[in-house]
Amino acid sequence: MTIIRRIKRALRGEVAARTLALEAVRRRKISSQQSRERATLDQETSRNARLRAEFAELDAAKLLNHFRSRREPQFFSGFSDLASTKDLQQRIFPEDTRALLAAAEQITNEHSWPLLGLGDQSFGSPIEWHRDLLSGITWPLDYHADINLHRNDGSDVRIVWELNRLPHLLTLARAYAVTNDERFSLEFFQQIEGWRAGNPLGRGVNWNCAMEVALRAMNLIGAFEIFRHSSHLDEERLGAMLALFDQHGAFIRKHLEFSHIVTSNHYLSDIVGLLWLGIMLPELQDAADWREFALRELLGEMNKQVLHDGADFESSTGYHRFVLELFLYSFILCRANAIEIESSYRDKLRRMLEYVAAYLRPDGFAPLIGDSDSGQVFPLCHHSGDDHAYVLAVGAAFFADNNLKTPRLSLTPEVLWLLGSKGVGDYQDLEETPATSRSFPDAGTHILRDGDLYLAFNTSGAGISGRGSHGHNDALSIEVSACGRPFIVDPGTYVYTADLHERHLFRSTAYHSTVEIDGVEQNTTDEPVPFVIGDEAQGRLLDPWNLRLTGPDRAGRLDVAPLLEVVMAEHLGYRRLPQPVTHQRRIVFNKKRRYWFLLDKLIGAGQHDLSFRFHFAPGLDVRINSDRFVELSDTVSGARLLLAAHEDNVFPARTPELEKQFSSVDYGAKDVSVSACWRIKTVLPFELSFVIVPVCAGEDESERLSAATSFAD
């Protein structure tokens, strides 16, 4: 198959002929580059670091002394003033400190630490850097470009890549900074030696993806910044570390995941890795070029990948967290080294943080819209895939912005380590600002909230300008939280290539709180192709966002009143059916009487099978009571949520079915959950409405239901 044909097969959306030609030329260059690389790998693997002339002239002892004592460049503030950081870490975060030291002991003594959603895992002695924990398969040490990542044998390269990003080395480094225990530094250097021996340059899956090389380099930079003060760093180990850094930078620069058609978080990770290497290793020959190139590309990618309203363009809150970390931490590093960034980019970064502040639920966790692989950038502490609050805390302190410090947002160790004692003080001086209802039309995310009541309404597209890889079939789906806990949720992601059927289920229409028609997906997907999704749905708002629309007047219209909020949208995913259908959904939030009203309109002709689903959070007691209400109960808090359908003045209308499904908040882990499904075979057009009534502990259920059902009638 020719390069042009391969490109066309992979395309989604229109591409100009010139762009297509440029992409074909780029791919031919890559093919030629790989031929040359194969011939020189052994030579490159054994090469010493390429240093600038003034450092290459130093003998080994003087070079070691330089790295032990240098004060520039500056890394993150918490790493620069370790005495202050050690004191504040122990005083402000005593529980985290105890957990940190216990984790470092476990890494050192047992080679065991948590990985994604898999919990604590033992990685062997020596560490098995290529073993896939899900399948037990060991990935080969073939030339990196020859390795097939989608093997359909239960293996998942994402698991191996997470291990080889080496995030656990930051745990060792933080523990060393607190204790000065040289056992932790020795473990660090021995693991690095083992990793280099087991991962020769350009061979094996850990050199297959430049993004993974970049993220590993960033974690190594952070750990080395602390361990360069250790007595276990000698001339030989310094030479090995510098060679490793040089190899990582050169590899990233040669294998950038750039495309003339579209770039994504992969290319962004590549250039951030180069930027950090260029800033923090100025002794390397190519550092200045890496830094100049990466900074220019970083800002260019912010223009491409961040929408005007602040959301990442991949239609995923999980990847929004990841991309936000890439930008935020890089901006912090630039500020520490007096690298100027124009205010327009800082303003866009602030909007990214405002998006997080808006979509976090009252319990402080995030709705997992689209894919989430639990990926973190520079993970000083491990956080679940739905925990985005720590990034917001860092951003609030970085900007010293009260609007970013929402209720229930806590000071986290990241603030200390990234911004130092000043950042901690800046954060503590901020006043809390309650989150309010917000609409993000570019992102397709609309939040209706008041106090403990929260509803997220999703009208996003496939992402990446219609070429989505991380979007789900979730148009017009909702999340609902009340009384301090989530009730209706997005199911998350679970896994990628380890189980293609499960991958397909978790991104399917049937797993989301929306309407499925004739058993067809909103956007086209193909189970064997886990990172391709169509863009047929194209969800959109029907009216401008209006926070003051009220219930029907005598003529059935909507009037203006301050205590009601409404949003209305549609998607076109089912227009491709033999008898086309448009799905419209209107949501009204009665803030005073504390309920939501949903109206689904299916506009079209002919007979269709309709499935109206709501996907519930794990851990709830779910039942259908005698009045045909779906009743969700939290047995711990006593909070409940009541959900029922209304049709043709019949309330509640019809009895739903309860379906067993699954939810996942962390990659590789899933919990049993339940959905309620109203199945209706009918001739269109058709309307069905729902009331969603939260009942917190101690509230009068009958009064709450009366208000909601009167609106439905």
Side-chain angles (χ1 to χ4, degrees), residues 225-257:
E225 182 64 18
I226 290 177
F227 287 123
R228 68 187 174 94
H229 303 290
S230 166
S231 61
H232 286 294
L233 178 64
D234 55 22
E235 291 93 338
E236 183 178 354
R237 282 176 170 151
L238 174 61
M241 287 297 304
L242 294 177
L244 191 60
F245 284 130
D246 194 33
Q247 287 177 354
H248 276 61
F251 187 91
I252 297 165
R253 190 67 180 89
K254 290 177 183 176
H255 299 87
L256 291 168
E257 294 164 278

Side-chain angles (χ1 to χ4, degrees), residues 493-515:
T493 298
Y494 183 40
V495 292
Y496 288 156
T497 60
D499 189 324
L500 294 179
H501 181 63
E502 288 285 283
R503 162 66 170 157
H504 180 68
L505 283 179
F506 272 80
R507 66 174 179 162
S508 69
T509 306
Y511 255 50
H512 292 85
S513 299
T514 186
V515 182

Side-chain angles (χ1 to χ4, degrees), residues 177-190:
V178 171
T179 64
N180 293 320
D181 189 334
E182 292 292 350
R183 291 181 303 127
F184 299 146
S185 64
L186 180 60
E187 179 65 21
F188 167 78
F189 287 113
Q190 289 178 340

Side-chain angles (χ1 to χ4, degrees), residues 398-436:
F398 177 68
F399 282 107
D401 188 343
N402 292 316
N403 293 319
L404 298 176
K405 188 178 181 181
T406 56
R408 298 179 63 96
L409 190 68
S410 299
L411 178 66
T412 65
E414 285 89 353
V415 175
L416 169 61
W417 288 86
L418 295 171
L419 297 169
S421 58
K422 183 181 184 302
V424 170
D426 289 342
Y427 181 88
Q428 292 173 330
D429 288 342
L430 296 176
E431 300 291 333
E432 290 184 355
T433 302
T436 59

Side-chain angles (χ1 to χ4, degrees), residues 10 50 63 107 147 159 161 163 200 217 250 264 287 329 348 356 362 378 431 483 511 588 611 626 678:
R50 297 164 304 155
L63 187 64
I107 292 169
I147 298 176
I159 303 297
W161 279 347
L163 168 64
S264 69
Y329 299 170
K348 203 160 201 178
V356 177
F378 202 65
E431 300 291 333
C483 310
Y511 255 50
V588 179
S611 297
S626 58
W678 283 261

Side-chain angles (χ1 to χ4, degrees), residues 319-334:
Y319 281 92
H320 179 83
R321 180 183 81 169
F322 183 80
V323 168
L324 172 57
E325 287 184 293
L326 288 169
F327 284 121
L328 176 59
Y329 299 170
S330 296
F331 279 35
I332 294 172
L333 185 61
C334 286

Side-chain angles (χ1 to χ4, degrees), residues 358 362 434-438 447-455 481-484 562-565 589-596 694 696:
T436 59
S437 295
R438 291 284 305 273
I447 310 297
L448 299 169
R449 68 189 308 160
D450 185 48
D452 69 309
L453 301 183
Y454 168 101
L455 183 145
S481 178
C483 310
L563 295 178
L564 299 183
E565 298 175 352
F589 176 30
N590 190 316
K591 298 168 71 173
K592 181 178 181 180
R593 297 196 173 182
R594 295 173 56 84
Y595 66 83
W596 293 273
C696 299

Side-chain angles (χ1 to χ4, degrees), residues 215-443:
L215 293 170
R216 179 167 59 247
M218 293 157 67
N219 292 332
L220 285 171
I221 287 169
F224 179 69
E225 182 64 18
I226 290 177
F227 287 123
R228 68 187 174 94
H229 303 290
S230 166
S231 61
H232 286 294
L233 178 64
D234 55 22
E235 291 93 338
E236 183 178 354
R237 282 176 170 151
L238 174 61
M241 287 297 304
L242 294 177
L244 191 60
F245 284 130
D246 194 33
Q247 287 177 354
H248 276 61
F251 187 91
I252 297 165
R253 190 67 180 89
K254 290 177 183 176
H255 299 87
L256 291 168
E257 294 164 278
F258 174 81
S259 167
H260 291 283
I261 298 169
V262 68
T263 52
S264 69
N265 68 84
H266 275 247
Y267 181 61
L268 180 60
S269 298
D270 300 346
I271 60 179
V272 168
L274 273 184
L275 178 66
W276 288 32
L277 285 163
I279 292 174
M280 293 307 301
L281 276 304
E283 295 84 0
L284 296 179
Q285 187 180 96
D286 291 337
D289 289 339
W290 294 343
R291 169 178 152 171
E292 180 181 352
F293 167 79
L295 183 59
R296 181 177 66 249
E297 291 296 295
L298 176 77
L299 301 180
E301 289 305 304
M302 179 172 260
N303 288 332
K304 290 182 186 178
Q305 298 193 31
V306 182
L307 303 174
H308 178 73
D309 57 18
D312 174 55
F313 78 154
E314 296 194 62
S315 291
S316 158
T317 53
Y319 281 92
H320 179 83
R321 180 183 81 169
F322 183 80
V323 168
L324 172 57
E325 287 184 293
L326 288 169
F327 284 121
L328 176 59
Y329 299 170
S330 296
F331 279 35
I332 294 172
L333 185 61
C334 286
R335 185 174 73 175
N337 289 278
I339 299 173
E340 292 293 329
I341 293 178
E342 292 180 19
S343 60
S344 61
Y345 297 105
R346 288 170 53 86
D347 291 343
K348 203 160 201 178
L349 179 63
R350 190 193 301 265
R351 291 200 294 275
M352 295 184 76
L353 291 159
E354 289 172 350
Y355 182 51
V356 177
Y359 71 58
L360 287 185
R361 301 188 307 244
D363 66 353
F365 290 91
L368 291 178
I369 298 169
D371 276 348
S372 171
D373 71 352
S374 299
Q376 291 180 248
V377 177
F378 202 65
L380 293 163
C381 304
H382 175 77
H383 293 275
S384 61
D386 62 346
D387 184 357
H388 300 189
Y390 68 96
V391 190
L392 183 58
V394 174
F398 177 68
F399 282 107
D401 188 343
N402 292 316
N403 293 319
L404 298 176
K405 188 178 181 181
T406 56
R408 298 179 63 96
L409 190 68
S410 299
L411 178 66
T412 65
E414 285 89 353
V415 175
L416 169 61
W417 288 86
L418 295 171
L419 297 169
S421 58
K422 183 181 184 302
V424 170
D426 289 342
Y427 181 88
Q428 292 173 330
D429 288 342
L430 296 176
E431 300 291 333
E432 290 184 355
T433 302
T436 59
S437 295
R438 291 284 305 273
S439 176
F440 298 86
D442 298 324

